Amino acid sequence: MNAEKHEGGSPGMIAKIAVVIDLLTIHDDLSIAGLADLAGEPRSSMYRLVNGLTAAGFVEPGSRKGRVRLGAKLFKIGAAAGRRYDIRRLALPILTDLREQTEVTAHLCVREDFSALCVERVEGKGSHLLSLRTGTSIPLHLGAAAKVLLAHAGPALWDAYIQYVSEGGGTPDIIRNVVEDQMSPRVAELNEEMAEIRRSGVSVSNSDVVLGVAALGAPVRDRDGNVCAAISIGGEARHVLGDAAERNERHVRSAARQLSAALGFVPQVALPSPAEPPSLPILGPLTHVGLVVRDLESAVAKHSFITGDDGWRNVEYSPATVHEMTYMGMPAPHVVRAAFSDGPGRRIDLVSPQSGPSIHRDWLDERGEGLHYANFNVPSLADAVATMAAHSVSLAQSGTGVTTGVEVAYGYFDTVKELGYWTRASER
């Protein structure tokens, strides 16, 4: 413990009290000597501190003489704090049904700073294997429910959390000893996983915390549409994944949707486009359009009538050819293969996503093949971003330092609602 003594002493004393309460939460009851040794405090100081806490009702005699435990007053305080988690009352029958459907343990977690706090749990098959129990926390990059909360927490929390973990935060020994290699996650890989969770709506954990234990999680939204919690199931991998994975995913998604509805969330229904023409700026000359395709070779053969004898130029956008790649405001390496027709006045791009998160993969999964973007040549991508931002149009994906010889930078703007396709700006 060795809490730092501040001017006036109060913050340091509060820190010492917090450590005593934490230790008694973990160990049920302890001797004064045991508390002092674990806290790194002199026994005389610990005696005075425990006596004060006992007089205040926060600590009471333990199971044996000379031992102490948490007092009833803290139970009352905990009950009052628990009322803010009324979500537990709404979630319990949903979690119970989820347990019956999947036969494994169901959890409800909320974010608490840089951790996922388990606020409800319904026991299922293999529950003795699981370390996440009611009232315990887990780092946000480990476990299905935690990853859901991290994926939807926003860029500011993401940046703060990566710094926190890189400096050794969120690494309790009980977890570090099991999965040492996962406590300092590779940021690019973790970022890609978070993007996939946002895209798919479900997270997958396999041996993140306990070897052989897997979990599936889905986001719970409040009435404003914000992700306020996560529902997950956990158990032996063979019961959660494998042949049961698809069925279990459906059950977890359904449970999360039910709880979201109970909290007042109503999914938005896409409305028809307004009759008036969209108000969008002219970035530059329109040069060509792009189609998203599943298989590039098949698409090239199907569209060969466009190029005639001029053929196609093959290009790959990847970390090897693009210095900086972003997706939804975060670094996100991905690989996209493309074929450009070179015929004068009739250029068309065929774009096929290969790996990693991208708007091309999103479009293909959600809408299938077809018209994907219109490209405009711009003198400066930065100026194009500012111009579009002034019209409330956001940049969703970009690349700078392109070495393919096609452009030096590019960006995709979300004009799907206004136009039915993405707007692409290409800096030459």
Side-chain angles (χ1 to χ4, degrees), residues 51-68:
N51 285 338
L53 291 173
T54 302
F58 295 125
V59 170
E60 65 184 27
S63 59
R64 286 179 290 167
K65 185 177 180 180
R67 302 176 77 88
V68 292

Side-chain angles (χ1 to χ4, degrees), residues 114-116 137-143 146-147 161 165 169-172 175 183:
F114 293 147
S115 300
S137 300
I138 193 170
L140 287 178
H141 68 281
L142 296 176
K147 289 178 181 179
Y161 184 72
V165 173
T171 58
I175 296 174
M183 296 318 301

